[in-house]
């Protein structure tokens, strides 16, 4: 990913961290069920970060992609939903968060 595109994606993640689901539609959109998308764009390339929330406070990004078509591919949505289910399953089973803390490193 180009350096400037990465910087913009990280800025969007920062805004998501600060404002959560109150960001306007230009930044986020509900995909399905509990799944949301963060929608940065740079130089004509659309990036998507699929995420869900835990307890309306913890945001967990479960899939990232470069969007090349009008709609998200069903496979990307299913993968993100499966990962969200796995995070919740581990959290319930293990009692401790399986989620790594955010880093800005690639």
């Amino acid at each position: 990913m180009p350096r400037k595109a990465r910087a913009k994606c990280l800025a969007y993640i920062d805004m998501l961290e600060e404002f959560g689901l109150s960001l306007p539609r230009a930044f986020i959109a509900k995909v399905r069920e509990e799944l949301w998308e963060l929608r940065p764009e740079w130089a004509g390339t659309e990036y998507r970060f699929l995420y869900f929330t835990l307890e309306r406070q913890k945001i967990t990004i479960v899939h990232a992609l470069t969007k090349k078509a009008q709609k998200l591919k069903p496979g990307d949505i299913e993968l993100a939903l499966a990962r969200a289910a796995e995070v919740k399953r581990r959290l319930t089973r293990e009692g401790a968060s399986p989620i790594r803390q955010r880093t800005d490193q690639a």
Side-chain angles (χ1 to χ4, degrees):
M1 173 182 294
R3 184 178 51 83
K4 288 184 178 183
R6 183 175 184 272
K8 186 165 187 181
C9 289
L10 289 173
Y12 268 56
I13 291 170
D14 287 340
M15 286 189 298
L16 180 63
E17 186 175 41
E18 184 174 348
F19 299 108
L21 299 179
S22 65
L23 283 171
R25 171 110 167 98
F27 295 93
I28 65 172
K30 188 167 189 173
V31 175
R32 189 168 69 186
E33 301 165 21
E34 65 194 353
L35 194 63
W36 291 77
E37 67 177 345
L38 183 64
R39 308 166 52 143
E41 177 271 330
W42 178 258
T45 301
E46 295 180 22
Y47 300 96
R48 293 296 184 263
F49 295 88
L50 303 180
Y51 66 92
F52 73 102
T53 60
L54 287 169
E55 303 156 7
R56 299 210 34 96
Q57 297 174 355
K58 297 177 184 175
I59 294 170
T60 305
I61 296 172
V62 289
H63 190 48
L65 60 125
T66 302
K67 188 174 168 206
K68 299 184 190 267
Q70 186 73 16
K71 291 186 173 187
L72 290 170
K73 293 179 184 176
D76 286 318
I77 295 169
E78 294 304 321
L79 177 61
L81 289 170
R83 288 177 176 170
E86 175 66 13
V87 167
K88 287 191 237 173
R89 185 185 62 75
R90 285 185 187 178
L91 188 59
T92 301
R93 186 184 70 205
E94 297 169 11
S97 179
I99 303 167
R100 292 180 299 191
Q101 292 297 314
R102 177 181 167 203
T103 64
D104 289 339
Q105 297 180 345

